Amino acid sequence: MPSFSAHDGTTLAYRVFGEGPPVVCLPGGPMQDSLYLGDLGGLSAHRQLIMLDLRGTGESAIPEDAASYRCDRLVDDVDCLREHLGLDRMDLLAHSAGANLAALYVGQRPERVGKLALITPSVMAVGITITGDVRRGTAQLRRDEPWFPTASAALEAIVAGKATTDSFQAVAPFFYGCWDEAARAHRAAEDGQKNKEAAAVFGAEGAFDPDTTRAALARFASQVLLLAGEVDLNSPPRAVAEFAELFPHAKLVIQPRAGHFPWLDDPDGFVATTAAYLE
């Protein structure tokens, strides 16, 4: 894998898929190996995808300073990648928790971003609250699934603050549009792809300043795509719609029957929407 050096000397790696104008892709997790993104359902047939392994994940080195895992401190890593690629401006795609990093990057360096695509984004960086009732309402869309009773009971435990490790395992089907063999394999690989120490630091105190970030996004002049999965329990469409309202030029797309990983649920539909936006 190609690599580059961050400002503090940490070696960071990235994967490259496809050819053509590059799109820098920021993974979620938080702090998960970019391997889980694959080639985003075939998006690499339309654009070159530059998949960054954030510090301490995937093939990137573990930094000397664990505090550098905090989301706001990762902004410099993204900019080092841009400089390494020789790009004055870059198109940026971020999934889930990676959307927090993308939002902070836009807030600090808006002139360095062309198009911005936020896929089933986390909303921590902009201070949007997702209530238990919103999650319950989203979950009810799956009430006819055979796994629903067990997963719903686990969700209630999580919302009530009584979650166990088993609870988080049991709600996994809610994150996929179809809880089939491919989804199970994708979920099973997740734990081995995450840096749990880094994830604990990612959103630590001081990482986010929602008021400042919201003000910066309101001034962002470029087009933005926000894509939500219709049945995504993690990033429900209502929350993603609220996120979209923070930008002056945003397009909200809700992918039917998709969960948190829409390129897995309907690759053709996801690629058609995202590629058309990135043209």
Side-chain angles (χ1 to χ4, degrees), residues 27-275:
M31 305 306 287
Q32 185 171 348
D33 186 335
S34 67
L35 187 64
Y36 83 95
L37 295 170
D39 75 338
L40 291 172
L43 186 59
S44 59
H46 301 267
R47 295 289 296 269
Q48 183 181 70
L49 307 181
I50 308 295
M51 306 285 199
L52 176 62
D53 276 352
L54 298 173
R55 56 179 53 217
T57 72
E59 298 299 319
S60 289
I62 295 174
E64 293 184 4
D65 180 10
S68 67
Y69 290 134
R70 206 173 73 175
C71 186
D72 57 320
R73 296 185 61 178
L74 298 176
V75 169
D76 286 341
D77 290 350
V78 178
D79 206 50
C80 281
L81 174 58
R82 178 193 60 78
E83 293 176 348
H84 168 75
L85 297 172
L87 300 174
D88 182 58
R89 300 175 80 216
M90 61 183 171
D91 291 342
L92 197 57
L93 180 150
H95 174 245
S96 190
N100 298 302
L101 177 53
L104 297 189
Y105 186 87
V106 168
Q108 294 184 28
R109 297 175 174 87
E111 74 284 359
R112 299 301 188 186
V113 181
K115 292 186 174 181
L116 175 65
L118 303 178
I119 309 303
T120 57
S122 168
V123 294
M124 290 190 299
V126 292
I128 293 172
T129 299
I130 304 175
T131 66
D133 285 343
V134 168
R135 296 198 197 277
R136 289 188 187 98
T138 305
Q140 281 297 314
L141 297 173
R142 316 297 297 280
R143 59 186 176 274
D144 294 331
E145 300 279 3
W147 45 261
F148 179 80
T150 299
S152 180
L155 174 61
E156 289 300 326
I158 293 170
V159 170
K162 300 177 180 179
T164 65
T165 300
D166 289 343
S167 301
F168 288 103
Q169 293 289 345
V171 297
F174 282 126
F175 289 77
Y176 296 86
C178 180
W179 187 236
D180 56 13
E181 186 175 343
R184 290 185 179 92
H186 190 265
R187 175 63 186 87
E190 183 177 311
D191 287 340
Q193 295 171 348
K194 279 188 179 180
N195 180 330
K196 294 181 180 179
E197 177 191 6
V201 177
F202 181 84
E205 184 177 358
F208 305 123
D209 181 348
D211 290 341
T212 298
T213 301
R214 282 170 172 255
L217 299 185
R219 297 189 295 269
F220 187 55
S222 297
Q223 293 289 327
V224 182
L225 170 68
L226 293 97
L227 189 148
E230 180 186 16
V231 298
D232 182 11
L233 190 72
N234 186 82
S235 306
R238 186 183 300 183
V240 180
E242 190 174 341
F243 199 167
E245 292 174 357
L246 302 179
F247 295 94
H249 306 292
K251 178 180 181 181
L252 172 66
V253 174
I254 301 174
Q255 185 171 312
R257 298 177 298 282
H260 197 54
F261 310 94
W263 63 90
L264 297 179
D265 297 317
D266 178 6
D268 291 344
F270 173 79
V271 169
T273 296
T274 310

